[in-house]
Every structure is written in structure tokens, then in C-alpha cells.
Amino acid sequence: MPVRMRMEQAVARAVAGATDAGDAYTRALQAIAQALEWPLAAAWEPNAHDPEALGCVAIWAADEEGPRAFAELTRTLSLRHGEGLPGRVWRSGRPVWITDA
């Protein structure tokens, strides 16, 4: 079975077992990251109180020191258009794939 199909099924199973929307987001990120062998996955959305800023709304990190520390820092960030990878994607409206951050 192709990786994409396995990942889609893993995301569907993960989300189906979620207790609320926040849990579903985190479970989906975990399923995607594990299928693609990423150590970290995060979702960003415009801040409800400041629509000119992005905030991390969900994050999953592998159980390793580096990804966990990066996740803790990421949770506290607020980014503007063009700032950081999420801000650059937000400004351009185009996806970006990086292999080594």
C-alpha cells in the first residue's frame, strides 16, 4: 500500500478517536509526522485576537530532546507575514517543503 494511502488511513483513524477538535488536530499531526518520518509537525492559524499574527494551534513532537525543546519554543511564538517558515508560507500562499531545518 502506498505511503500516502497508509497516512490517510492513519489520519482518519486518529481523528475518529479524538475527544475534541484540539485533540483531533494533534492526532492528525502525529499520524502525518510518523508516516513521513518527521520528528515534528505543527499547525498554524491566524491569531483570534490579532489577525495579522500567526499562532501555533497544534503541535506534535517525537519523544526526543531536540524535537520536544523545539515544540516548547514553537508553542510560544507569534509570527507575522513573512516571518519564519510559517509566515513565509502565509505570505506566499504556497506550500514549502524543506528536508533539513
Side-chain angles (χ1 to χ4, degrees), residues 14 22 25 45 54 57 75 83 92-93:
Y25 226 154
E45 292 182 1
L54 286 176
V57 295
R75 283 185 182 93
E83 190 175 39
S92 72

Side-chain angles (χ1 to χ4, degrees), residues 12-84:
R13 281 191 304 274
V15 171
T19 58
D20 58 34
D23 186 38
Y25 226 154
T26 302
R27 287 172 176 250
L29 289 173
Q30 179 180 2
I32 292 165
Q34 288 178 331
L36 297 174
E37 298 180 358
W38 293 350
L40 184 123
W44 295 77
E45 292 182 1
N47 184 307
H49 304 293
D50 181 2
E52 296 300 314
L54 286 176
C56 180
V57 295
I59 194 161
W60 176 85
D63 191 23
E64 301 168 16
E65 184 177 331
R68 283 193 320 259
F70 191 82
E72 288 302 315
L73 174 65
T74 300
R75 283 185 182 93
T76 67
L77 291 178
S78 178
L79 302 173
R80 301 271 176 206
H81 281 268
E83 190 175 39

